[in-house]
Amino acid sequence: MKLTVIGASGSFPGPGSPASCYLVTADGPDGDGGTRPWRVLLDLGNGSLGVLQRYIDLEQLDGILLSHLHPDHCMDLCGLHVAVRWNPAGWHAGRIPVYGPAATATRIAEAYGMEPEPGMHPDFDFRTWRPGRTERLGPFRITPHSVRHPIDEAYALRLEVDEPGEDGAPVPRVLTYSGDTDTCEGLVAAARGADVFLCEAAFQEGRDDHIDGVHLTGLRAGRMAAQAGARKLLLTHLPVWNDPQQAALEARRAYEGPLAVAVAGLSYGV
């Protein structure tokens, strides 16, 4: 698997990054006995759709996986709807699978000023998460885990892909994305043994740590990664007023493994 950070800014786009959006690529079946690259997005927050086109053609998208329905994680679905519906050359890729909370189709239609029916159903194949139920899309096995955030449904997403090991036998590679959350058992379960734990750290110790049930600090993220036994921690969703170095120093107090702060435009192997 390869993770490319399209946007990592917390809560709204920053001067150097869109809001949350992560491109994940892995080889999988092409339907003719061969393989091809499969491309899915973890969230599609405001500002991300334009930057995404630096890396792929929009018709190459195989699916969108939404952690929750706050605008900084889903609102550029509205722009993608325009690309699908109104491209003068036509859209040849078929309806795009969109996995998310039960209210996804209605919420996005309302955001665009449309009636819920048919809404954006002609463009997107909306599929509803069920906590703990694994979905399959190409080479990806995706399991949502309920987490703590002030919205009806919020999920951490665990992605698994089998890749050949040194002896040729399949070895599962695991990427976990926290979405937005505070500390909880669901987050630890989602990140258990993950090769890369992409984890939000929107809050800061000494400034926001008294706020419960909304976001993690760097320290809280480090504790979650340590409890889960994650092999690498990649901090993300830092708002513009956060110091990335401070977030990393906080996380280091609780987590001893490889640690970095996600940077828009960079790619990471899983």
Side-chain angles (χ1 to χ4, degrees), residues 181-204:
T181 181
D182 202 344
T183 55
C184 61
E185 288 301 317
L187 182 59
V188 174
R192 187 80 64 194
D195 294 286
V196 174
F197 183 19
L198 179 64
C199 186
E200 71 116 297
F203 280 175
Q204 184 174 298

Side-chain angles (χ1 to χ4, degrees), residues 2-100:
K2 182 173 79 170
L3 167 68
T4 300
V5 179
I6 305 301
S9 184
S11 300
F12 58 90
S17 173
S20 296
C21 183
Y22 310 90
L23 174 64
V24 185
T25 305
D27 288 337
D30 65 0
D32 295 316
T35 61
R36 68 169 179 86
W38 284 71
R39 303 171 179 90
V40 300
L41 295 180
L42 299 171
D43 286 339
L44 188 57
N46 44 335
S48 62
L49 188 64
V51 174
L52 174 65
Q53 293 169 80
R54 299 175 188 171
Y55 300 92
I56 64 169
D57 183 274
L58 295 179
E59 289 201 47
Q60 293 177 314
L61 280 173
D62 292 295
I64 299 168
L65 317 176
L66 299 180
S67 64
H68 65 292
L69 297 180
H70 280 150
D72 59 316
H73 293 261
C74 69
M75 198 48 61
D76 271 20
L77 272 176
C78 290
L80 185 57
H81 151 75
V82 175
V84 174
R85 181 69 61 89
W86 298 108
N87 186 341
W91 183 268
H92 306 289
R95 294 165 70 218
I96 302 172
V98 177
Y99 293 83

Side-chain angles (χ1 to χ4, degrees), residues 40-265:
V40 300
L41 295 180
L42 299 171
D43 286 339
L44 188 57
N46 44 335
S48 62
L49 188 64
V51 174
L52 174 65
Q53 293 169 80
R54 299 175 188 171
Y55 300 92
I56 64 169
D57 183 274
L58 295 179
E59 289 201 47
Q60 293 177 314
L61 280 173
D62 292 295
I64 299 168
L65 317 176
L66 299 180
S67 64
H68 65 292
L69 297 180
H70 280 150
D72 59 316
H73 293 261
C74 69
M75 198 48 61
D76 271 20
L77 272 176
C78 290
L80 185 57
H81 151 75
V82 175
V84 174
R85 181 69 61 89
W86 298 108
N87 186 341
W91 183 268
H92 306 289
R95 294 165 70 218
I96 302 172
V98 177
Y99 293 83
T104 301
T106 299
R107 186 77 58 85
I108 296 302
E110 290 174 346
Y112 200 73
M114 304 172 71
E115 293 296 325
E117 294 297 338
M120 297 185 188
H121 287 279
D123 309 314
F124 302 131
D125 179 8
F126 292 103
R127 306 176 183 182
T128 300
W129 293 128
R130 294 288 182 264
R133 185 179 74 184
T134 299
E135 305 286 350
R136 292 180 178 269
L137 183 63
F140 299 101
R141 299 187 299 275
I142 311 138
T143 308
H145 293 259
S146 295
V147 293
R148 285 204 298 155
H149 195 57
I151 194 169
D152 288 343
E153 294 181 59
Y155 298 100
L157 303 176
R158 181 183 179 93
L159 279 68
E160 300 179 65
V161 171
D162 289 332
E163 298 185 0
E166 294 182 0
D167 60 357
V171 176
R173 302 295 182 189
V174 179
L175 167 66
T176 295
Y177 171 47
S178 68
D180 282 3
T181 181
D182 202 344
T183 55
C184 61
E185 288 301 317
L187 182 59
V188 174
R192 187 80 64 194
D195 294 286
V196 174
F197 183 19
L198 179 64
C199 186
E200 71 116 297
F203 280 175
Q204 184 174 298
E205 292 291 313
R207 186 191 68 197
D208 314 302
D209 52 302
H210 64 285
I211 305 173
D212 182 67
V214 181
H215 288 297
L216 297 163
T217 64
L219 177 59
R220 291 174 182 171
R223 288 172 176 162
M224 294 289 94
Q227 289 182 35
R231 296 182 175 89
K232 180 175 182 178
L233 176 59
L234 190 59
L235 300 175
T236 192
H237 199 270
L238 276 63
V240 296
W241 47 71
N242 275 27
D243 179 354
Q245 184 176 5
Q246 176 66 29
L249 288 172
E250 288 183 13
R252 180 56 74 203
R253 290 163 53 189
Y255 179 73
E256 297 180 353
L259 168 66
V261 177
V263 176

